[in-house]
């Protein structure tokens, strides 16, 4: 037994798991197509400066950072948004907007490993850039719903809030951005009392403290009732009133176009990433108390990276967690699989013939393997059964003289002699297996 293990927080996907992962990935790609998001592929390694610019202390402290051999400070990406924003601020700067950009790949965060929390994990990421309108926010929420449904998940719960509401109150109070960020991070961790203390220490007014205290309490599924209460809470803060209106419009668009979605509005909801400016959301299922995906609006990030002012809204879905949720809900991925076969030469001297037939079939798009363990026919067939292989082609001298082989259907348990050129049509006639 080898002593080598995966590095803490990293994991292997064995064939069955890899299949499910690729299924989820294929659904993420179909959703990108359906919502017309174009794929971009960005590097796993980016400059530390870029990745740390606006990620927030939490994500920053968990980055895999190192110096490359050229002495550059680099890091493994802890999210996609910074890379997409870099592109939009540079190479894509003069392209007409909006951009609908999609990425899929591995992400690295030095999180404490536990169920659904890994140090290497997979995300599908969608960014809609160039629009500040609520319909753009609605598109991002709706596509998230569509992806979770396509993965076969049910009982989805969307938690939606708006950092603009809190930020506008803080801005009106002239609270420094650093103080705001610390308060938001504490709120993200549900440490509301600590957040309130920070705000109080920064000499926020009693009016501000009351509003924040009330907002933190406000959440519920009767979403427009919650919105109304939010309006009352923030009535003394002009810009915050606008932010609540914006949230209300987004919710109207979402609920009117997709009635069956379950949404909780949470006025005290904050997210770890610092760059959010507007609506934020997360999606989860009751079986798992961690988010399957999350996102929101970030209107100032592109500017911060030196680009044109570009409002934007986006979402990242955790593919590992979607997989976990599928397991918990016993959602079966719809994977239609090609039939597979094995070619068994009954004699050592027929090996070349077996390989030749295999090559011909593969050229016709048929998946086959050649018996490579030198086993006798009975043993090879037994093993093929165990591995749920669909058919076996037995290459024997007698049939070969007639240009034929023995074709054994391992599912139907039938056998016939088939001319080699007729093999593809014989195999393709049988229905593909469903898994
Ligand atoms: P975030 O970029 O923090 O908004 O995360 C987006 C999504 O990525 C989350 O909703 C999770 O589904 C997933 N995610 C974040 N951190 C981890 C992790 N350590 N392991 C697995 N999935 C993660």
């Amino acid at each position: 037994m080898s002593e080598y293990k995966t590095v803490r927080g990293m994991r292997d996907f064995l064939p069955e798991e890899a299949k499910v992962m690729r299924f989820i990935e294929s659904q993420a790609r179909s959703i990108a197509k359906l919502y017309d998001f174009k794929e971009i592929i960005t590097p796993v390694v980016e400059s530390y400066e870029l990745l740390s610019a606006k990620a927030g202390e939490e994500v920053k402290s968990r980055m895999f950072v190192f110096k490359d051999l050229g002495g550059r400070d680099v890091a493994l990406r802890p999210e996609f948004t910074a890379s997409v924003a870099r592109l939009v601020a540079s190479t894509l700067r003069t392209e007409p907007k909006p951009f609908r950009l999609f990425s899929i790949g591995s992400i690295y965060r030095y999180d404490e490993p536990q169920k659904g929390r890994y140090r290497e994990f997979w995300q599908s990421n969608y960014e809609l850039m160039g629009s500040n309108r609520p319909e753009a926010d609605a598109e991002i929420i709706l596509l998230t719903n569509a992806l979770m449904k396509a993965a076969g998940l049910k009982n989805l719960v969307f938690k939606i809030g708006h950092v603009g509401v809190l930020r506008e109150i803080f801005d009106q109070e002239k609270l420094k951005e650093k103080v705001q960020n610390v308060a938001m991070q504490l709120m993200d961790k549900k440490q509301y009392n600590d957040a309130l203390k920070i705000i109080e220490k920064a000499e926020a007014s009693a009016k501000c403290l009351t509003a924040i205290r009330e907002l933190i309490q406000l959440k519920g599924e009767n979403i427009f009732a919650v919105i109304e209460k939010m309006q009352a809470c923030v009535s003394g803060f002009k810009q915050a009133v606008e932010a609540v209106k914006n949230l209300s419009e987004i919710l109207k668009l979402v609920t009117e176009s997709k009635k069956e979605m379950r949404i909780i509005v949470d006025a005290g909801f904050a997210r770890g990433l610092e760059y959010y400016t507007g609506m934020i959301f997360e999606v989860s299922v009751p079986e798992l108390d961690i988010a399957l995906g999350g996102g929101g609006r970030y209107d100032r990030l592109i500017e911060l990276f030196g680009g044109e002012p570009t409002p934007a809204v986006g979402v990242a879905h955790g593919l590992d967690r979607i997989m976990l949720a599928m397991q918990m809900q016993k959602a079966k991925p719809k994977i239609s699989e090609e039939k597979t076969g094995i070619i068994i030469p009954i004699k050592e001297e027929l090996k070349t013939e077996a390989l030749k037939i295999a090559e011909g079939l593969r050229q016709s798009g048929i998946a086959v393997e050649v018996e490579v363990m030198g086993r006798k026919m009975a043993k090879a067939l037994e093993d093929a059964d165990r591995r749920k292989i669909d058919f076996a082609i037995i290459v024997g001298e007698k049939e070969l003289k007639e240009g034929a082989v023995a074709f054994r259907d391992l599912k139907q348990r039938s056998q016939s002699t088939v001319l080699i050129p007729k093999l593809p049509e014989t195999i393709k006639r049988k229905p593909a297996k469903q898994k």
Side-chain angles (χ1 to χ4, degrees):
M1 181 84 171
S2 164
E3 282 174 19
Y4 292 122
K5 300 188 286 199
T6 52
V7 172
R8 185 163 156 80
M10 307 286 163
R11 61 196 186 127
D12 300 313
F13 287 80
L14 298 181
E16 282 307 310
E17 294 157 323
K19 217 174 352 185
V20 179
M21 200 58 175
R22 294 303 181 212
F23 162 75
I24 301 168
E25 191 178 323
S26 75
Q27 297 307 306
R29 286 183 191 286
S30 315
I31 294 295
K33 241 189 217 137
L34 286 173
Y35 288 75
D36 203 19
F37 281 67
K38 307 278 185 251
E39 182 170 3
I40 50 168
I41 302 173
T42 57
V44 171
V45 176
E46 292 269 16
S47 80
Y48 174 71
E49 202 185 342
L50 170 87
L51 295 175
S52 60
K54 232 11 190 163
E57 288 309 317
E58 178 74 17
V59 170
K60 227 159 89 179
S61 67
R62 293 177 190 278
M63 266 198 257
F64 281 82
V65 186
F66 56 101
K67 269 196 198 301
D68 72 6
L69 292 180
R72 298 172 196 90
D73 288 314
V74 296
L76 303 183
R77 62 184 176 204
E79 51 143 2
F80 279 111
T81 306
S83 304
V84 186
R86 168 182 58 69
L87 257 184
V88 171
S90 56
T91 319
L92 298 177
R93 193 184 177 111
T94 54
E95 295 286 309
K97 300 188 177 68
F99 297 123
R100 291 169 171 257
L101 300 174
F102 161 72
S103 303
I104 197 159
S106 55
I107 295 291
Y108 301 84
R109 288 184 199 169
Y110 206 79
D111 279 337
E112 197 45 38
Q114 51 190 282
K115 189 174 182 183
R117 201 176 291 283
Y118 315 100
R119 290 181 178 170
E120 178 188 60
F121 56 97
W122 299 78
Q123 280 189 345
S124 57
N125 185 85
Y126 305 73
E127 311 284 356
L128 208 176
M129 297 185 167
S131 165
N132 61 2
R133 300 171 65 88
E135 47 272 39
D137 301 69
E139 285 262 82
I140 289 291
I141 297 171
L142 290 169
L143 84 75
T144 297
N145 181 55
L147 173 59
M148 301 298 152
K149 288 265 157 89
L153 295 177
K154 45 187 200 292
N155 304 326
L156 302 166
V157 186
F158 283 80
K159 181 164 90 169
I160 306 187
H162 199 296
V163 288
V165 178
L166 303 167
R167 292 261 184 203
E168 295 295 358
I169 295 176
F170 294 154
D171 279 351
Q172 197 169 321
E173 289 285 311
K174 303 210 166 25
L175 291 192
K176 291 208 178 73
E177 197 176 332
K178 212 162 177 191
V179 173
Q180 294 193 20
N181 292 344
V182 174
M184 298 293 269
Q185 268 151 31
L186 288 167
M187 287 171 75
D188 184 26
K189 289 191 210 141
K190 303 205 166 42
Q191 296 169 359
Y192 297 117
N193 283 335
D194 295 338
L196 283 165
K197 272 188 209 141
I198 296 280
I199 303 164
E200 204 169 356
K201 225 172 111 192
E203 292 174 0
S205 67
K207 186 173 99 177
C208 164
L209 283 164
T210 310
I212 301 291
R213 224 174 257 128
E214 283 175 17
L215 283 172
I216 289 167
Q217 312 280 334
L218 267 181
K219 64 168 161 184
E221 279 191 62
N222 195 346
I223 57 181
F224 293 103
V226 177
I227 291 284
E228 234 170 76
K229 286 189 190 144
M230 283 174 81
Q231 289 289 18
C233 270
V234 302
S235 61
F237 300 89
K238 209 162 145 245
Q239 291 305 319
V241 171
E242 288 307 309
V244 178
K245 262 194 212 146
N246 173 248
L247 177 61
S248 173
E249 266 184 75
I250 296 165
L251 290 168
K252 248 187 231 138
L253 289 170
V254 171
T255 50
E256 279 170 22
S257 45
K258 207 85 197 170
K259 294 227 162 17
E260 66 276 16
M261 276 173 65
R262 193 174 154 209
I263 298 174
I264 294 172
V265 170
D266 185 346
F269 178 30
R271 304 202 73 229
L273 294 163
E274 232 163 60
Y275 48 65
Y276 289 116
T277 54
M279 180 279 297
I280 50 169
F281 76 103
E282 269 176 14
V283 61
S284 59
V285 287
E287 290 84 355
L288 210 60
D289 61 356
I290 40 180
L292 305 181
R297 175 165 285 285
Y298 53 98
D299 284 347
R300 288 198 279 274
L301 190 63
I302 317 287
E303 228 175 313
L304 195 105
F305 288 168
E308 302 293 318
T310 310
V313 55
V315 61
H317 309 116
L319 306 191
D320 310 70
R321 291 195 188 164
I322 295 178
M323 183 166 163
L324 206 56
M326 285 170 68
Q327 279 163 6
M328 298 183 88
Q329 292 196 346
K330 300 196 168 42
K332 283 258 175 293
K334 288 191 199 77
I335 303 172
S336 77
E337 285 185 59
E338 294 301 317
K339 280 184 290 185
T340 52
I342 182 153
I343 308 199
I344 311 167
I346 59 167
K347 264 190 171 162
E348 212 31 46
E349 302 83 82
L350 296 171
K351 274 194 307 206
T352 317
E353 276 310 320
L355 284 166
K356 220 162 93 188
I357 295 167
E359 284 299 289
L361 288 174
R362 288 164 185 155
Q363 233 160 32
S364 309
I366 293 165
V368 284
E369 53 180 273
V370 173
E371 163 58 35
V372 290
M373 304 298 281
R375 284 179 287 215
K376 294 265 175 300
M377 188 175 67
K379 270 262 177 284
L381 284 174
E382 201 180 294
D383 186 57
D385 257 343
R386 181 185 64 79
R387 292 192 295 130
K388 300 192 169 51
I389 286 178
D390 300 274
F391 61 88
I393 290 167
I394 300 147
V395 186
E397 253 164 353
K398 200 173 106 226
E399 290 87 356
L400 213 52
K401 274 197 190 117
E402 317 287 319
V405 287
F407 178 81
R408 188 191 285 242
D409 186 325
L410 298 175
K411 297 280 138 73
Q412 312 277 335
R413 308 244 149 240
S414 60
Q415 184 165 323
S416 55
T417 305
V418 177
L419 286 170
I420 294 170
K422 297 266 182 217
L423 276 173
E425 63 184 272
T426 310
I427 297 163
K428 282 180 180 166
R429 257 204 316 267
K430 322 242 173 198
K433 63 184 169 194
Q434 279 279 324
K435 236 205 139 191

